[in-house]
Amino acid sequence: MAQFIKIYEDKPNEAAIKKVVDVLKNGGLVIYPTDTVYGLGCDITNTKALERIAKIKGVKLDKANFSFICHDLSHISDYVKQINTATFKLLKRALPGPYTFILEGNNNLPKEFKKKSTVGIRIPNNSIALEIVKQLGNPIVSTSIHDEDAVLEYSTDPELIFEKWQNLVDMVIDGGYGDNVGSTIIDLSGFEPLVVREGKGSLDIL
């Protein structure tokens, strides 16, 4: 059964963050808060953990549209091709924030993602998520946890999330109530920014 751990966003406890990082380093799956909905994540370098997430989501790993949670813009450049000045300025305006940006991937992508030409990048405005990634030292591969109830779409209560997911994951973080609106997804891999999904993030940044 998963561990259930309380972390406060305004002052994430370092020892608690270390516990989360240890779970990730050991190939565990963690449900954690973001600035939008709760996410399900694992260490980007752990193949077995990636396969577990793909299985839970019912997708083939090489076809999965997972996003990478990064700590800052320099972290992003490890995994994407050189970005131009206009794109960089847009990212700087929007991040950290409730956006997923689709960018062209580079050769540093883990082998599981080599078949994909693009990658979704997130830097959520949530200190718990950012501290986890910072201490881990590399991105978390992430996907949002949908609710089976079509009306709800996303679960927002960490205790209910724990009830539902405790036998599928290794840790659930209670970081307070989550949002029920996903991130705004913007594709920056073409000539012009393309809005794929309008979510919590305002389009005024474009």
Side-chain angles (χ1 to χ4, degrees):
M1 195 171 89
Q3 299 176 61
F4 189 59
I5 186 168
K6 174 83 185 166
I7 303 179
Y8 294 95
E9 199 204 335
D10 54 355
K11 201 162 187 250
N13 177 295
E14 207 167 306
I17 296 285
K18 189 181 179 304
K19 276 187 186 170
V20 181
V21 170
D22 287 344
V23 167
L24 290 165
K25 282 184 174 167
N26 289 321
L29 305 189
V30 172
I31 290 177
Y32 64 96
T34 72
D35 52 357
T36 57
V37 299
Y38 266 79
L40 165 65
C42 72
D43 185 339
I44 193 174
T45 63
N46 193 297
T47 303
K48 282 201 169 129
L50 290 168
E51 284 169 350
R52 276 178 69 194
I53 287 189
K55 192 175 175 191
I56 286 171
K57 296 293 278 190
V59 293
K60 281 200 161 72
L61 184 53
D62 60 358
K63 296 207 169 51
N65 286 322
F66 297 148
S67 51
F68 292 7
I69 304 285
C70 296
H71 177 252
D72 55 25
L73 286 176
S74 63
H75 214 169
I76 287 179
S77 59
D78 293 344
Y79 294 96
V80 303
K81 285 186 178 165
Q82 186 82 37
I83 48 182
N84 62 34
T85 310
T87 299
F88 183 76
K89 282 183 174 166
L90 173 58
L91 296 177
K92 217 168 159 54
R93 266 201 308 279
L95 300 172
Y99 299 91
T100 301
F101 289 107
I102 298 171
L103 296 156
E104 277 191 272
N106 66 18
N107 293 333
N108 293 337
L109 287 178
K111 61 180 187 302
E112 294 80 14
F113 300 100
K114 288 279 194 231
K115 285 184 184 172
K116 294 181 78 66
S117 58
T118 59
V119 60
I121 297 286
R122 285 267 280 125
I123 303 179
N125 189 14
N126 178 288
S127 56
I128 298 169
L130 294 180
E131 275 303 309
I132 292 167
V133 177
K134 188 178 175 184
Q135 279 203 32
L136 182 63
N138 48 262
I140 299 173
V141 166
S142 181
T143 180
S144 53
I145 55 166
H146 282 262
D147 203 290
E148 270 124 38
D149 183 334
V151 180
L152 281 175
E153 192 162 13
Y154 297 110
S155 298
T156 58
D157 182 338
E159 291 189 4
L160 294 178
I161 291 169
F162 178 71
E163 253 175 57
K164 184 179 158 190
W165 288 83
Q166 58 188 339
N167 296 319
L168 287 170
V169 302
D170 303 284
M171 182 177 268
V172 175
I173 298 170
D174 175 358
Y177 275 86
D179 207 325
N180 61 355
V181 181
S183 63
T184 292
I185 302 174
I186 301 172
D187 188 343
L188 298 177
S189 64
F191 293 112
E192 291 284 323
L194 177 71
V195 179
V196 178
R197 177 182 78 188
E198 200 171 335
K200 190 177 175 185
S202 161
L203 298 179
D204 293 350
I205 57 155
L206 294 174

